[in-house]
Amino acid sequence: MSEWGGLLAGVLAAAAAWAVARPLWKARHSEAAEEPSPKMEDLRARKEALLGALRELEEDRESGRLGEEDYRLLRARLKAEAASVLREMDSLSETTPPSSGADAGRPGKRV
């Protein structure tokens, strides 16, 4: 009976190890699969550059280096371009299929 007890303990230990390791393994592999596309990386970089330009524009206006009319014109152009980038980012994220079937049907995930 002790052989069966040892075998049962080994099977239970292996099952417990699998139950603990599986979520960790899946999380690590799903993170690698969900890396953003080069297009999305480009859009994020453009968005950050536009936000920086808007901040700099505000500083130039506050310091008096830029007149109010020029400020309004440049700000409108930058905001329009930023809005375009954000729309493109939304469009890209909506059309990108999930990386694996594991997330399909999960609440909060776009399909």
Side-chain angles (χ1 to χ4, degrees):
M1 199 59 147
S2 68
E3 286 182 33
W4 288 106
L7 181 62
L8 181 59
V11 168
L12 289 175
W18 178 79
V20 170
R22 185 171 182 252
L24 298 173
W25 182 81
K26 283 181 75 173
R28 191 174 90 213
H29 283 74
S30 67
E31 286 174 8
E34 294 177 11
E35 289 184 21
S37 69
K39 177 72 173 171
M40 183 62 84
E41 287 295 321
D42 178 54
L43 290 170
R44 286 180 181 161
R46 285 178 52 200
K47 179 186 84 168
E48 291 303 317
L50 288 164
L51 291 174
L54 282 165
R55 282 189 293 272
E56 188 175 320
L57 188 67
E58 185 68 32
E59 291 171 6
D60 287 349
R61 182 185 68 119
E62 288 175 0
S63 69
R65 290 182 291 218
L66 189 63
E68 193 64 33
E69 187 176 330
D70 290 334
Y71 165 77
R72 285 189 198 139
L73 178 67
L74 292 170
R75 184 172 183 265
R77 287 181 186 168
L78 289 171
K79 283 181 69 176
E81 189 175 347
S84 173
V85 167
L86 291 174
R87 281 191 300 273
E88 197 172 346
M89 289 175 75
D90 283 344
S91 173
L92 186 61
S93 66
E94 288 173 358
T95 60
T96 304
S99 58
S100 69
D103 290 336
R106 192 182 285 178
K109 294 284 184 180
R110 291 185 175 166
V111 178

